[in-house]
Amino acid sequence: MQGVTSTAFGPAELLHRLRARVSSEADSPITHVERVPSRPGRVAPWPDWTGPSVRDAFTAQGITAPWEHQAAAATLAWEGTHVVLATGTASGKSLAYQLPALSTLAADPKATVLYLSPTKALAADQLRAIVRLGLDDVRPATLDGDTAREEREWIRQHGRFVLTNPDMLHHSLLPGHARWGVFLRRLRYVVVDECHAYRGVFGSHVAHVLRRLRRVAARYGATPTFVLASATSGDPAGSASRLTGVSVTAVTADASPRGATTFALWEPPLLPPELADPLPALPQAASSPPTSAASDFSDSSDLSGQDAEVIQVRRSALRETADLLTDAIVNGTRTLAFIRSRRGAEVVAAMARRSLDEAVPGLGDRVAAYRGGYLREDRREIERALLSGELLGLASTNALELGVDLAGLDAVLICGYPGTRASLWQQAGRAGRAGNEALAVLVARDDPLDTYLVHHPEALFGREVEATVLDPGNPYVLGPQLCCAAFEAPITRDDLELFGPAAPRLVEQLVAEGVLRRRPSGWYWTHRGRPDVDLRGTGGSPVAVVESATGRLLGTVDPASSHAMLHDGAVYLHQGVTYVVDELDLSDGVALVRQEEPDWTTHARDVTDVSVVGVRSYVDAGPVGLFLGDVDVSSQVVSYQRRRLGSGEVIDTRPLDLPVRELRTVAVWFTVSPEALIAAGVRPTDFPGALHAAEHAGIGLFPLIATCDRWDIGGLSTANHADTEAPTVFVYDGHPGGAGFSERAYATAAEWLRATREAIASCVCESGCPSCVQSPKCGNGNHPLNKPDAVKVLDTVLAALPSIPAQTPPPE
């Protein structure tokens, strides 16, 4: 490894150097290279209505004319048309809403603008951009959880361009709208940036927060124009309309210039048998084993003393990404690596720092991790160092995916498919932002979906990106949001239309529960305190991670993840430093940790059970049934494994005593009659392994047809479920009331299960591996699994499903 070069190589040369790490072309990890050509930009004249001072400010920043799409969207907004601009990364969407908003503020000294961002980093970046314009009397300010109390008071009284997030709007501004009355009365524009990020349950909550904002603003006489910015997405007008509750016009023709991008698909090499992590061998299951689930860690027995069967596995995507990040930096390439998890970002940064220091002492200091949960001052320092060039490389979660201007980056490494093509292109677009050539590399994880994608590039390139999935009618979202609205002001009959067709029935249900009280003037909130509603579905306030010896707050973890990440004895990483959890106090929301360097990692294991509450729709295909319905899911973290660093050897399994968590959600499931499985050549003793393998692969391929992450969903398979009385595979949304994912899978079941079948059948392994039927989430130690019979199960299901109409069960 050489010292750092003075200049970065172009994408093709850098890719050649990265490829040179392998001994021969036959061993190349690159499965496909897509070259996206450059394109010239198309400018438009400044709109006639542009304020002279605003135009001069942009011109002073080097923007001599807007691109055509910027001018088109800005003019629609100026004319009072709700508009969404859905164009590619680095296409200048910010100017499209800044132009009408700032021109309005310049022309009307009393007007105000509200800007909403899904992340604090993006809001801070937008604040910097507005301040740089140097316009008089705009008075921009960020309002978030980090804003000091005295500063909040100043913003309330004097702020005209307030940059905040849906959480602050929900928890502070709307409940306290009387104090914000002057601001709301003068509100002219509401900007919703990166609106494609509002999907699933979070997006459904935000949809009602925006409806509550419209309702409260109307009480003060304001009807603001909504201006939304989105990454390229399917049906942006429809998605934006569902989000805001108003009819939105889409502008999608991207007229910005784009530098050429070289996009490589990279599959880490197979490890030789002596370096592969051993898979513990477990006893064979009986014909009716305990229920197994891909999201469950139900085996709490000590596996350390058993014989191990070596399974063919690939090199870790985290390690491969860390090495690529190291090589890119050594070659003078400023690089951002996107990692799926907070822990993964810390691991990649730590490995890259270590390798860089071995190559050039001190060079490791120019790499850092970035993720949610850091304190504000830590985040701002990392952002500053990256923008200034002090940092050459960053391993980040998707906290930096959205909009933040990362000028000067040459390459992006994407460690694992991010779940949607929209996110993939959003992350890839972080490089080459000044119109320069860029390199993007998708490093496949050893799982079914990533393996499928790197060998089927047509599933990624040349296809439309997904539509944003959200369901404002979800009763588990709508009910609590109606309570919030009633707290802010009594709900009138006219208000009900604002919240959708399900609102009248739900308000009566809330009255019956004693939560609301009906009066001639409307429905009133009955309690003294305001409703406690969590927009992000994290289960409440975050758990604070505190160093025992010093009392120093290290960061926070959302409650939904705390059982698995912060249980007693868990290994916790923070900015490259390793800690061990001494105690998790759920009642106080605190985890006490001590700094330590153990030679093991920890992996939580939980048990899950699913029961059917009701069927919404079904397909009767003779021996096969396909169902969509409501289910109850109970889960409990019961133990954790300590695994040796490096080898992955299981040291021991230790029990835990944590509470059971209950979830009512939506699931898609299929049943197959025992007779059909036997006819397909599956022996009854092999039912559990065949169904379990099909379930794992189905969950792995699920994000191919639904805009979700495999961690957004759970699954369960059994040879004889109590409610269906048949061999059954369930896949369920991991959010209360569902998130729309199962509905999408039900509607496209044949496509989903056909891709699942192909992923299993085309894998070169003999008995199953992480690329096809093994799951990183499995609590049964990936046992039993029967790869050949999983194909037979799916063949049976697919043969029965085509052209069978869905049916709705009759009312009970």
Side-chain angles (χ1 to χ4, degrees), residues 194-212:
E194 304 290 0
C195 65
H196 63 280
Y198 301 119
R199 61 179 178 85
V201 170
F202 177 46
S204 302
H205 272 295
V206 172
H208 287 297
V209 171
L210 295 179
R211 285 158 173 78
R212 287 161 49 202

Side-chain angles (χ1 to χ4, degrees), residues 399-649:
L400 283 181
E401 175 184 322
L402 302 176
V404 179
D405 187 5
L406 304 176
L409 288 178
D410 306 303
V412 165
L413 306 173
I414 304 169
C415 182
Y417 181 61
T420 65
R421 289 184 293 277
S423 288
L424 180 75
W425 288 106
Q426 187 81 351
Q427 293 182 3
R430 295 297 97 184
R433 290 180 63 86
N436 300 320
E437 291 189 20
L439 173 66
V441 180
L442 171 62
V443 181
R445 293 168 302 164
D446 204 1
D447 76 7
L449 179 59
D450 284 30
T451 301
Y452 178 88
L453 291 174
V454 295
H455 291 284
H456 294 80
E458 70 279 3
L460 293 176
F461 303 110
R463 292 187 62 179
E464 290 187 2
V465 297
E466 308 85 352
T468 303
V469 176
L470 66 151
D471 178 18
N474 181 338
Y476 290 86
V477 172
L478 178 55
Q481 287 292 332
L482 287 170
C483 293
C484 293
F487 173 82
E488 291 153 8
I491 298 174
T492 66
R493 190 165 296 279
D494 290 341
D495 290 335
L496 293 179
E497 184 179 352
L498 185 69
F499 294 99
R505 178 182 57 83
L506 270 177
V507 292
E508 295 302 336
Q509 180 180 325
L510 293 169
V511 169
E513 294 172 357
V515 177
L516 298 184
R517 179 180 294 115
R518 186 173 184 176
R519 291 287 183 264
S521 55
W523 288 267
Y524 288 73
W525 175 244
T526 60
H527 299 284
R528 301 186 70 176
R530 67 188 186 202
D532 183 13
V533 178
D534 177 17
L535 297 188
R536 298 179 184 260
T538 56
S541 300
V543 176
V545 183
V546 176
E547 190 173 26
S548 301
T550 64
R552 180 169 64 102
L553 176 64
L554 299 177
T556 59
V557 171
D558 64 87
S561 303
S562 63
H563 289 213
M565 291 182 62
L566 296 175
H567 58 76
D568 294 0
V571 173
Y572 176 80
L573 283 174
H574 181 78
Q575 293 188 352
V577 180
T578 305
Y579 298 85
V580 174
V581 178
D582 289 324
E583 180 186 1
L584 172 60
D585 187 335
L586 291 172
S587 60
D588 289 339
V590 174
L592 299 176
V593 302
R594 68 181 186 278
Q595 188 173 338
E596 190 175 322
E597 292 288 341
D599 62 351
W600 65 80
T601 60
T602 53
H603 301 262
R605 303 163 72 82
D606 67 12
V607 294
T608 296
D609 188 33
V610 174
S611 60
V612 176
V613 176
V615 174
R616 298 184 181 184
S617 182
Y618 68 97
V619 174
D620 184 353
V624 171
L626 178 69
F627 300 84
L628 176 73
D630 300 289
V631 297
D632 281 335
V633 181
S634 62
S635 62
Q636 181 182 22
V637 175
V638 296
S639 63
Y640 69 97
Q641 283 186 343
R642 295 192 305 163
R643 298 182 190 174
R644 191 82 62 193
L645 279 173
S647 70
E649 174 194 357

Side-chain angles (χ1 to χ4, degrees), residues 123 150 173 212 257 281 287 300 302 324 449 459 463 510 568 583 597 641 686 695 708 744 786 810:
E150 57 274 14
L173 197 152
R212 287 161 49 202
S287 58
S300 57
D302 187 340
L324 291 173
L449 179 59
R463 292 187 62 179
L510 293 169
D568 294 0
E583 180 186 1
E597 292 288 341
Q641 283 186 343
D686 292 327
E695 174 216 342
C708 72
R744 174 65 178 164
N786 189 316

Side-chain angles (χ1 to χ4, degrees), residues 98-143:
Q98 289 172 356
L99 196 59
L102 295 173
S103 293
T104 297
L105 296 183
D108 180 356
K110 294 184 177 181
T112 60
V113 174
L114 183 66
Y115 168 95
L116 299 174
S117 156
T119 66
K120 295 178 182 178
L122 178 54
D125 184 72
Q126 287 295 303
L127 177 65
R128 287 190 291 265
I130 294 170
V131 169
R132 278 198 301 268
L133 292 172
L135 292 166
D136 294 332
D137 206 31
V138 172
R139 300 199 294 272
T142 54
L143 177 70

Side-chain angles (χ1 to χ4, degrees), residues 219-240:
R219 288 176 60 89
Y220 292 93
T223 54
T225 299
F226 282 81
V227 187
L228 301 95
S230 170
T232 303
S233 64
D235 190 22
S239 297

